[in-house]
Amino acid sequence: MYIYNHQIRVRYGDTDQMGYVYYGNYAYYYEQARAEAIRARGITYKEIEASGTMMPITRMSTKYIGPAYYDELLTVKTILPHLPNRIITFHYEVLNEKNQLVNEGETQLIFMDANTRKIKTAPAFLIEVMKPYFP
């Protein structure tokens, strides 16, 4: 299992009229966290795309547990429970500054050939850097 923590400061524009993080922004927070989780292993989404691989999302779920507020520093704990193959699944736990769980979610992405649009296996270089986390 691979775990990565990414911090995001809630901007004023991320909040709604009640002062809570607007529900739609959690998808954006997930995207930031998963990109940085991969970057922490020395690979960027840009490199994956340059290799001829696209990663469209096929499923996303989210559960709202409590509010997050303007100027809070949130920690998005990103968990890969399985070594990527044709699918890569990310679980997220969003914690506030008091280390309280305010949101949790999951995204599932597939690996797709950029030219043929057919599903394929994850790039070998991505699997290689993730292997040590999945004995």
Side-chain angles (χ1 to χ4, degrees), residues 30 57 59-64 90-92 103-108:
Y30 299 165
I57 290 182
R59 183 169 49 86
M60 184 179 98
S61 64
T62 190
K63 181 178 180 183
Y64 306 98
F90 296 88
H91 294 281
Y92 310 94
N103 179 280
E104 59 186 8
E106 181 180 287
T107 55
Q108 179 181 301

Side-chain angles (χ1 to χ4, degrees), residues 54-103:
M54 297 177 3
M55 295 171 58
I57 290 182
T58 59
R59 183 169 49 86
M60 184 179 98
S61 64
T62 190
K63 181 178 180 183
Y64 306 98
I65 298 161
Y69 302 97
Y70 166 63
D71 205 42
E72 274 192 305
L73 187 60
L74 303 177
T75 299
V76 183
K77 182 177 183 179
T78 306
I79 304 159
L80 272 77
H82 310 288
L83 184 65
N85 188 358
R86 292 165 38 121
I87 294 170
I88 187 167
T89 302
F90 296 88
H91 294 281
Y92 310 94
E93 296 176 0
V94 182
L95 305 157
N96 65 15
E97 291 176 348
K98 296 176 185 171
N99 208 35
Q100 297 167 321
L101 185 66
V102 297
N103 179 280

